[in-house]
Amino acid sequence: MKKLFVMALAALAIGFTSCSESTQKGDDVAAMVENLKTQLEAGDASALQGALQSAQEKIGELVAKDPETAKTYVAKVQEFLKANNEKVVALVGDNEMAKGIVTTLVNAPADVVVSALAGGQTLADQAKEAAKEAAKNAAEQLQQSADSAQDAISKAVEEKANEMVEDAKQKMNEKINEGAEELLKGAGLKK
């Protein structure tokens, strides 16, 4: 009986601990989002940039300890940033690090952000890689468009050249026929 009582107490303690941790994590994420909101409403660019950096660091710490909770944090911060994207981008201005964090959090799925942070990348690094990849894709598409345009131009030039050759052949045949007619008339073979 004593063993059952001790086991029940242990289970209860574990339950309270997990509920307490879950509540604390929820409070932490709410505090992080509230801090971002406060800095945004205050219009303080450097404080907002600091809050973004702090959010990145907190998420980075969580990635090592609890990736699922880190995903929750990322999702909540993403939700806030997506809802306030224009204001945030306007406020961070030319700060590339802050822009990188915002861009990555707005555009990348939470699990991708967490995976990259787990691999040692910062959110700014992720944004740079995404920008490089987008530039590479744009360059490839531009090259494909240029190739297609070049092919279309080559085809059009070839068609026009063939048309001109046929037109020249026709005119040459007409002149040959006119000349033959004149020769035949001059020789009296044709009236």
Side-chain angles (χ1 to χ4, degrees):
M1 181 82 170
K2 240 183 184 182
K3 283 184 179 181
L4 284 174
F5 182 71
V6 170
M7 288 173 58
L9 283 176
L12 192 59
I14 290 171
F16 281 132
T17 302
S18 65
C19 287
S20 172
E21 285 178 16
S22 177
T23 303
Q24 181 185 4
K25 289 174 185 174
D27 291 346
D28 286 350
V29 106
M32 185 187 307
V33 171
E34 188 59 36
N35 184 26
L36 288 168
K37 183 179 177 184
T38 300
Q39 302 313 325
L40 181 62
E41 288 174 354
D44 187 348
S46 62
L48 179 62
Q49 292 166 7
L52 287 167
Q53 183 66 33
S54 175
Q56 173 181 302
E57 289 167 4
K58 179 67 175 172
I59 292 167
E61 290 170 11
L62 280 171
V63 166
K65 295 176 188 174
D66 186 359
E68 289 305 311
T69 301
K71 286 180 190 176
T72 303
Y73 271 55
V74 169
K76 292 294 183 184
V77 172
Q78 282 178 325
E79 185 180 304
F80 171 78
L81 290 175
K82 284 178 183 178
N84 298 286
N85 191 32
E86 288 180 15
K87 292 178 188 176
V88 172
V89 170
L91 191 57
V92 297
D94 293 334
N95 184 308
E96 292 302 320
M97 185 272 308
K99 273 186 184 176
I101 292 172
V102 172
T103 300
T104 300
L105 286 173
V106 168
N107 296 319
D111 57 338
V112 171
V113 172
V114 170
S115 294
L117 288 171
Q121 281 187 317
T122 65
L123 296 174
D125 292 339
Q126 291 179 41
K128 286 177 190 175
E129 282 189 22
K132 283 179 187 177
E133 188 65 29
K136 179 182 169 189
N137 290 341
E140 287 173 357
Q141 288 178 346
L142 186 58
Q143 183 61 47
Q144 288 174 350
S145 294
D147 291 345
S148 294
Q150 182 62 38
D151 290 345
I153 290 170
S154 295
K155 186 176 179 179
V157 167
E158 186 179 333
E159 287 175 0
K160 188 63 176 174
N162 288 339
E163 184 181 302
M164 291 173 71
V165 165
E166 289 300 317
D167 190 40
K169 282 181 185 179
Q170 184 180 358
K171 285 182 181 179
M172 188 171 72
N173 283 336
E174 287 174 5
K175 291 292 180 185
I176 289 173
N177 288 339
E178 285 176 12
E181 286 281 326
E182 289 293 320
L183 280 174
L184 290 174
K185 282 182 185 177
L189 297 173
K190 193 168 185 181
K191 292 186 180 184

